[in-house]
């Protein structure tokens, strides 16, 4: 199965002069079904005024081996969009042993805001899934993006999952992270990757706000299974591991309300790296 869904939003002013976001294009393609929804407010400072809320639902099982799914999302200048998924995505093996693929392409224009909060991806036994997320940001864009992965269902050895997250800012590379886990990846459950944990995820926070305005005097501590990486003064990546999805969600959601743990570096000088298991990644900022 091949599917390609698109979502585009733009910003308009209502009669009172307030900026409101409207959907300018919405194209579903089963199993990717996009539906406008009532507002479900994110916590903390991620509550865009006048935002449009859209839910991503699955009209069929999968992705299943051999499927190729693509989703394009574009946020115009000044618009604000919150995207959630209705339920977790279960990646299943196909009858012919072929891999499944998913591509997500997110674009945010200047002064645009995207809150990307899909539910976890569950890697079922014997699956072979390749997922790519590409995020293109213009100067002044705001982004909150969460990704979660659960390694197998209860009592199940997961299949293989390859994930890549690539972020550019003003056309220049900001962050590029790849990792692979599962039965076909040597050492995937070792201390350098998952450390035996079954749930892993990232929270990427990018805001043009000045760090001095967003970091209080007493930053929240980082636990042993959570690590924070400052990509730029206004971009932070939080990576967490856990034994279950509820614990993982709590650790990631803390980044939506608490400041980055390394805010203290702006006031008290350098500090050592956060303890815990960091996934292999590579980041770059334009010079």
């Amino acid at each position: 199965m091949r599917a390609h869904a698109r979502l585009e939003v733009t910003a308009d002013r209502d009669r009172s002069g307030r900026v409101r976001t409207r959907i300018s294009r919405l194209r579903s393609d089963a199993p990717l079904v996009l539906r406008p929804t009532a507002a479900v407010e994110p916590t903390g400072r991620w509550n865009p005024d006048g935002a449009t809320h859209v839910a991503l639902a699955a009209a069929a099982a999968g992705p299943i081996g051999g499927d190729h799914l693509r989703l394009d999302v574009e946020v115009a200048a000044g618009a604000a969009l919150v995207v959630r998924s209705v339920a977790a995505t279960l990646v299943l093996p196909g009858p012919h042993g072929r891999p499944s693929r998913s591509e997500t392409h997110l674009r945010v224009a200047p002064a645009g805001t995207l809150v990307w909060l899909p539910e976890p991806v569950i890697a079922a036994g014997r699956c072979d899934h390749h997922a790519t997320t590409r995020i293109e940001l213009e100067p002044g864009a705001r982004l909150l993006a969460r990704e979660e992965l659960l390694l197998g269902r209860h009592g199940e050895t997961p299949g293989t999952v390859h994930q890549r997250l690539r972020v550019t800012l003003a056309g220049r590379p900001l962050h590029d992270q790849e990792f692979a886990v599962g039965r076909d990846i040597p050492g995937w459950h070792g201390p350098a990757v998952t450390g035996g944990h079954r749930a892993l995820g990232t929270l990427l926070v990018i805001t043009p706000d000045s760090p001095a305005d967003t970091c209080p005097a007493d930053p929240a501590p980082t636990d042993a299974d959570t690590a924070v990486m400052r990509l730029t003064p206004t971009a932070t990546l939080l990576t967490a591991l856990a034994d279950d999805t509820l614990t993982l969600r709590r650790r990631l959601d803390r980044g939506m309300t608490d400041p980055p743990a390394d805010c203290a570096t702006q006031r008290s000088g350098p500090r050592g790296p956060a303890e815990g298991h960091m996934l292999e990644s590579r980041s770059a900022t334009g010079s």
Side-chain angles (χ1 to χ4, degrees):
M1 178 186 295
R2 298 181 68 90
H4 184 187
R6 294 187 64 91
L7 172 62
E8 298 177 11
V9 296
T10 58
D12 291 329
R13 292 189 181 273
D14 59 21
R15 294 181 179 179
S16 64
R18 299 182 61 185
V19 176
R20 295 293 182 183
T21 299
R22 66 176 181 86
I23 297 174
S24 57
R25 183 175 184 182
L26 190 151
R27 178 182 181 272
S28 298
D29 192 6
L32 301 175
V33 178
L34 298 163
R35 291 289 183 266
T37 65
V40 179
E41 296 182 355
T43 59
R45 63 184 182 271
W46 291 97
N47 181 21
D49 186 32
T52 287
H53 293 246
V54 175
L56 176 62
I64 298 173
D67 289 352
H68 189 168
L69 310 181
R70 176 172 173 173
L71 173 63
D72 292 334
V73 176
E74 185 166 348
V75 180
L81 174 66
V82 179
V83 180
R84 298 175 180 269
S85 55
V86 173
T89 298
L90 179 62
V91 181
L92 296 166
H96 306 295
R98 293 181 296 173
S100 56
R101 300 183 184 276
S102 63
E103 298 180 47
T104 303
H105 189 188
L106 311 175
R107 298 182 61 188
V108 188
T113 298
L114 174 61
V115 180
W116 177 256
L117 300 173
E119 292 300 307
V121 173
I122 304 173
R126 299 184 297 106
C127 74
D128 183 5
H129 186 59
H130 298 250
T132 302
T133 301
R134 298 190 304 276
I135 303 176
E136 299 178 16
L137 304 173
E138 295 298 327
R142 301 177 74 237
L143 174 76
L144 176 73
R146 182 183 68 204
E147 291 193 339
E148 300 168 301
L149 176 64
L150 179 62
L151 302 178
R153 293 166 289 191
H154 179 71
E156 181 179 51
T157 300
T160 303
V161 176
H162 298 259
Q163 287 190 338
R164 181 176 184 181
L165 172 63
R166 177 173 172 79
V167 185
T168 60
L169 177 61
R172 307 182 72 174
L174 174 66
H175 179 65
D176 195 347
Q177 173 176 291
E178 291 186 80
F179 67 90
V181 293
R183 62 176 188 172
D184 296 329
I185 308 300
W188 68 271
H189 46 61
V193 187
T194 65
H197 295 78
R198 295 186 62 246
L200 56 153
T202 59
L203 184 75
L204 179 62
V205 181
I206 299 177
T207 171
D209 299 334
S210 169
D213 296 333
T214 58
C215 293
D218 297 314
T222 299
D223 59 69
D225 290 317
T226 305
V228 177
M229 178 186 298
R230 177 74 77 176
L231 305 179
T232 72
T234 57
T236 302
L237 178 72
L238 186 150
T239 302
L241 298 170
D243 294 324
D244 57 78
T245 55
L246 291 177
T247 303
L248 177 67
R249 179 66 59 84
R250 285 196 296 267
R251 289 173 177 168
L252 294 177
D253 282 357
R254 189 169 59 191
M256 297 170 61
T257 54
D258 293 344
D262 63 342
C263 281
T265 63
Q266 299 166 42
R267 296 184 172 86
S268 58
R271 59 190 288 177
E275 296 181 356
H277 310 281
M278 283 297 297
L279 301 179
E280 180 181 358
S281 64
R282 56 182 184 271
S283 301
T285 55
S287 57

